[in-house]
Amino acid sequence: MAAAATMAAAARELVLRAGASDMEEEEGPLGSGPGLQEPLQLGELDITSDEFILDEVDVHIQANLEDELVKEALKTGVDLRHYSKQVELELQQIEQKSIRDYIQESENIASLHNQITACDAVLERMEQMLGAFQSDLSSISSEIRTLQEQSGAMNIRLRNRQAVRGKLGELVDGLVVPSALVTAILEAPVTEPRFLEQLQELDAKAAAVREQEARGTAACADVRGVLDRLRVKAVTKIREFILQKIYSFRKPMTNYQIPQTALLKYRFFYQFLLGNERATAKEIRDEYVETLSKIYLSYYRSYLGRLLKVQYEEVAEKDDLMGVEDTAKKGFFSKPSLRSRNTIFTLGARGSVISPTELEAPILVPHTAQRGEQRYPYEALFRSQHYALLDNSCREYLFICEFFAVSGPAAHDLFHAVMGRTLTMTLKHLESYLADCYDAIAVFLCIHIVLRFRNIAAKRDVPALDRYWEQVLALLWPRFELILEMNVQSVRSTDPQRLGGLDTRPHYITRRYAEFSSALVSINQTIPNERTMQLLGQLQVEVENFVLRVAAEFSSRKEQLVFLINNYDMMLGVLMERAADDSKEVESFQQLLNARTQEFIEELLSPPFGGLMAFVKEAEALIERGQAERLRGEEARVTQLIRGFGSSWKTSVESLSQDVMRSFTNFRNGTSIIQGALTQLIQLYHRFHRVLSQPQLRALPARAELINIHHLMVELKKHKPNF
């Protein structure tokens, strides 16, 4: 029914639009006359109105044209006027039918009206009831707010009372002295655990009372007297106990480290004294410092004296220098010199003292060594002495920091108050010994021992010895440099003519240098020091100059080269045993040895093959300059050289080999020189072959007498010595 009504309305609108349009065309200008019918009010469809908007008309037309019923009517070609009348008729029928339906349902409508009236009465009563409820709820809400305010106030009062109760409880707990505390402080021995526990409780109560007194709490006066008497009793018992422990250190043959370690369990005793009786704490600290200072001083003075009794009797003196000749005579009253000065410059097994296993090995026991008639070099005694000092100092420093509760500068000051006299005595003893010490290796080993001990102390986090290590190094370094400079000066001032008979074997001064330099280089490689390398460089220059001065004493160049090669080879061999292959000393002597060896080979080949060598050099020079034609006049010389070489080369090579083996003390070096000489001879003869292959000498009849190169190589291999 709703769809039909909609379609009818749309049709009616189209019909009215069409009719209005037709009426406008038929009436023309007369349609508005006074006697005519009133104009039709079309509303939005009135196109004569000024307010009509063409765009809106188009929109309405377009919307109506898109309606399905309109589309169907236009598509079937229905007459709109007829269709409009039909729609009007249908609407009237529907309206009449609707009226009849309403008349038929009139009784139901009346009944519905009565029901609605009854419902309105019920709702009115409910509204009155709800209004009463609302007024009641508003009064209840005000009562709830009142209760909430009262509850909040009660909560605040409760929290305040609880806070006051907590504060008062803490105050009372801090002020009340329980009977267990009194009994333990008065009767329990200080070594019992309960005494320590109650002592900590007493310390806490004393601190709390002092704090409350500062705030003006009057209740503190009630317990002050009791706490003071308990504090005095505790201080008395603690003082007697700690002093008794300290006095036990003084007993002869007592290992003071045992009671010292036991004191650490009662370190709170000193903290209690420090907080409650500073005068007694100072008395105990001063007594500890005085006692331990004397113990350490006595122990180390005795230990140093006993250590020196197991030192080697033969020590280096001021005349035991590198450049001093073994045949030097001394005065009638002078002390006998070392049986062999070479031991001063040799490291041997002495370097093991700085190895990790030996460095922290147990200290030497002098009476045990004396009983076994054992003797040690000074660096071993120095290591034992300073390892004992390091170990005891580290233990003492850590004990001081823990027991006396100090750190930083305060710990340093307290440590030096205990160990200062011992350290000063040790420095004076070292200074006294170094004044007459001329053993550079021993001093250098002592330097490296100190450097390693300093690292150990740093790893143990004991900085208190840093100043002492610097003072020891300040004594050792200048003495080491002085001894090294004395050796440099001794080599510089050595006169070769005063050394007695000379031979081409390695000189004992160069052997001393080789052993000494390799010792210092091997030690210095572990912890390099530039100043040491500079001093060794000066010593090396002086030794090289000394070797050249001695070599100049030989009349022939061959003997000079043999002497130089023997000494360079010996020094290089000793250095390579201990020093690294890429060290400056090894590279320097390797270059010198190679240069002198090459010169000696040429000097060795010159007598038997000098003519051949001269001709080859001259011929190669001519060929290089493009003057090979001048070789045509050398046929007789070349023939003589060919026949001379062929007849004498074997005997010459045999004589050469024997001469080399007699001249050089190192057979390996001699073998290398022979090998180099034979190789150079083969190269020389090969060059001679190439010269004779020139066109100017190619037709020489004597070329047929040349020895085949390969045959010559095979024959020369027979003369190569094997060791």
Side-chain angles (χ1 to χ4, degrees), residues 93 198 283 288 321 340 444 453 509 529 552-553 714:
Q93 293 176 355
Q198 296 303 326
E283 177 190 2
Y288 176 85
L321 299 174
S340 176
F444 198 52
F453 281 167
I509 292 181
N529 179 266
E553 296 296 320
V714 173

Side-chain angles (χ1 to χ4, degrees), residues 306-447:
R306 294 177 181 178
L307 276 180
L308 291 179
K309 293 180 181 180
V310 295
Q311 185 182 3
Y312 281 131
E313 296 180 357
E314 294 182 351
V315 295
E317 299 178 356
K318 63 180 180 180
D319 293 328
D320 295 321
L321 299 174
M322 189 177 299
V324 176
E325 56 271 17
D326 283 339
T327 57
K329 295 182 180 180
K330 293 189 174 183
F332 181 76
F333 296 101
S334 61
K335 296 180 181 179
S337 180
L338 291 177
R339 286 189 295 270
S340 176
R341 282 196 177 90
N342 291 335
T343 58
I344 305 173
F345 308 102
T346 304
L347 182 62
R350 299 170 67 183
S352 62
V353 74
I354 59 174
S355 64
T357 55
E358 290 290 333
L359 191 66
E360 298 186 59
I363 64 173
L364 299 177
V365 181
H367 64 270
T368 303
Q370 285 179 325
R371 191 180 306 121
E373 296 183 355
Q374 295 178 337
R375 292 292 183 267
Y376 300 93
Y378 178 74
E379 62 272 10
L381 308 182
F382 182 87
R383 197 267 335 161
S384 181
Q385 167 200 347
H386 280 81
Y387 185 64
L389 184 65
L390 169 68
D391 203 33
N392 284 280
S393 296
C394 290
R395 184 183 295 106
E396 185 64 32
Y397 180 80
L398 296 177
F399 174 83
I400 287 173
C401 292
E402 192 169 357
F403 185 80
F404 292 102
V406 291
S407 61
H412 287 201
D413 295 341
L414 189 55
F415 172 81
H416 285 288
V418 175
M419 299 293 298
R421 297 168 64 183
T422 302
L423 298 178
T424 303
M425 182 273 297
T426 306
L427 288 173
K428 289 182 179 179
H429 177 271
L430 177 62
E431 185 177 8
S432 175
Y433 179 84
L434 291 177
D436 292 327
C437 178
Y438 297 91
D439 189 350
I441 293 179
V443 177
F444 198 52
L445 285 172
C446 291
I447 290 173

Side-chain angles (χ1 to χ4, degrees), residues 418-551:
V418 175
M419 299 293 298
R421 297 168 64 183
T422 302
L423 298 178
T424 303
M425 182 273 297
T426 306
L427 288 173
K428 289 182 179 179
H429 177 271
L430 177 62
E431 185 177 8
S432 175
Y433 179 84
L434 291 177
D436 292 327
C437 178
Y438 297 91
D439 189 350
I441 293 179
V443 177
F444 198 52
L445 285 172
C446 291
I447 290 173
H448 279 263
I449 289 172
V450 171
L451 295 177
R452 284 160 174 78
F453 281 167
R454 184 170 63 179
N455 293 336
I456 293 174
K459 290 179 181 178
R460 295 183 183 180
D461 197 19
V462 179
L465 284 174
D466 290 349
R467 181 182 176 188
Y468 173 75
W469 299 131
E470 296 298 331
Q471 291 174 328
V472 173
L473 291 175
L475 294 176
L476 291 173
W477 273 116
R479 189 64 188 179
F480 171 71
E481 294 177 1
L482 175 63
I483 299 173
L484 210 56
E485 290 172 357
M486 291 174 64
N487 281 282
V488 171
Q489 183 60 35
S490 68
V491 175
R492 183 186 296 125
S493 59
T494 299
D495 185 2
Q497 295 180 356
R498 297 178 55 190
L499 298 179
L502 300 177
D503 55 30
T504 57
R505 291 176 298 179
H507 200 274
Y508 59 84
I509 292 181
T510 58
R511 181 171 293 280
R512 292 174 184 173
Y513 163 75
E515 295 286 351
F516 183 72
S517 179
S518 64
L520 297 188
V521 169
S522 63
I523 297 171
N524 194 62
Q525 284 175 347
T526 57
I527 303 179
N529 179 266
E530 188 62 29
R531 176 58 179 164
T532 303
M533 300 309 298
Q534 293 176 359
L535 293 173
L536 284 177
Q538 296 177 13
L539 182 59
Q540 179 183 346
V541 171
E542 295 301 330
V543 170
E544 291 176 2
N545 293 336
F546 167 75
V547 172
L548 294 176
R549 292 200 304 270
V550 176

Side-chain angles (χ1 to χ4, degrees), residues 220-246:
C220 296
D222 297 338
V223 296
R224 166 55 66 186
V226 177
L227 291 178
D228 287 343
R229 289 191 293 273
L230 290 174
R231 179 180 59 80
V232 170
K233 183 62 176 179
V235 168
T236 303
K237 295 174 70 173
I238 291 172
R239 176 181 176 278
E240 292 176 356
F241 173 75
I242 297 180
L243 289 179
Q244 183 182 3
K245 288 289 185 183
I246 294 175

Side-chain angles (χ1 to χ4, degrees), residues 97-359:
K97 185 178 180 180
S98 176
I99 292 171
R100 286 194 299 271
D101 289 340
Y102 276 108
I103 293 172
Q104 292 177 358
E105 297 294 332
S106 59
E107 295 180 359
N108 294 334
I109 293 173
S111 176
L112 179 62
H113 175 72
N114 294 332
Q115 292 177 2
I116 292 173
T117 304
C119 287
D120 287 340
V122 172
L123 291 175
E124 183 177 359
R125 289 195 300 273
M126 290 183 66
E127 182 179 3
Q128 294 173 357
M129 292 174 62
L130 291 176
F133 288 156
Q134 184 177 7
S135 61
D136 294 341
L137 288 175
S138 61
S139 62
I140 292 173
S141 176
S142 63
E143 292 177 0
I144 291 174
R145 283 196 295 271
T146 303
L147 291 175
Q148 287 179 342
E149 293 174 357
Q150 293 176 357
S151 175
M154 292 174 66
N155 285 333
I156 293 174
R157 288 196 297 272
L158 177 61
R159 285 196 298 269
N160 292 337
R161 289 177 181 178
Q162 288 177 343
V164 170
R165 179 182 178 183
K167 294 293 184 180
L168 288 176
E170 293 178 1
L171 177 61
V172 172
D173 291 340
L175 296 180
V176 171
V177 180
S179 59
L181 188 152
V182 176
T183 303
I185 296 299
L186 295 178
E187 300 176 1
V190 295
T191 55
E192 287 190 5
R194 67 190 183 106
F195 179 84
L196 180 59
E197 294 175 1
Q198 296 303 326
L199 183 67
Q200 293 173 344
E201 181 69 17
L202 176 62
D203 185 63
K205 288 187 178 298
V209 168
R210 286 194 295 269
E211 181 180 357
Q212 293 301 327
E213 283 181 341
R215 296 178 180 178
T217 304
C220 296
D222 297 338
V223 296
R224 166 55 66 186
V226 177
L227 291 178
D228 287 343
R229 289 191 293 273
L230 290 174
R231 179 180 59 80
V232 170
K233 183 62 176 179
V235 168
T236 303
K237 295 174 70 173
I238 291 172
R239 176 181 176 278
E240 292 176 356
F241 173 75
I242 297 180
L243 289 179
Q244 183 182 3
K245 288 289 185 183
I246 294 175
Y247 293 153
S248 67
F249 297 168
R250 303 176 180 179
K251 295 180 181 179
M253 306 299 294
T254 299
N255 185 357
Y256 68 90
Q257 294 177 359
I258 296 176
Q260 186 183 49
T261 304
L263 272 178
L264 287 177
K265 295 190 298 183
Y266 307 104
R267 55 182 173 273
F268 182 75
F269 289 176
Y270 184 80
Q271 297 177 15
F272 178 81
L273 295 178
L274 201 61
N276 296 275
E277 192 62 39
R278 286 188 172 272
T280 304
K282 183 178 184 303
E283 177 190 2
I284 290 176
R285 187 182 65 181
D286 294 343
E287 191 65 32
Y288 176 85
V289 169
E290 183 67 20
T291 301
L292 266 295
S293 177
K294 290 180 179 179
I295 290 175
Y296 281 124
L297 181 62
S298 174
Y299 170 77
Y300 276 100
R301 181 183 288 119
S302 174
Y303 186 64
L304 286 177
R306 294 177 181 178
L307 276 180
L308 291 179
K309 293 180 181 180
V310 295
Q311 185 182 3
Y312 281 131
E313 296 180 357
E314 294 182 351
V315 295
E317 299 178 356
K318 63 180 180 180
D319 293 328
D320 295 321
L321 299 174
M322 189 177 299
V324 176
E325 56 271 17
D326 283 339
T327 57
K329 295 182 180 180
K330 293 189 174 183
F332 181 76
F333 296 101
S334 61
K335 296 180 181 179
S337 180
L338 291 177
R339 286 189 295 270
S340 176
R341 282 196 177 90
N342 291 335
T343 58
I344 305 173
F345 308 102
T346 304
L347 182 62
R350 299 170 67 183
S352 62
V353 74
I354 59 174
S355 64
T357 55
E358 290 290 333
L359 191 66

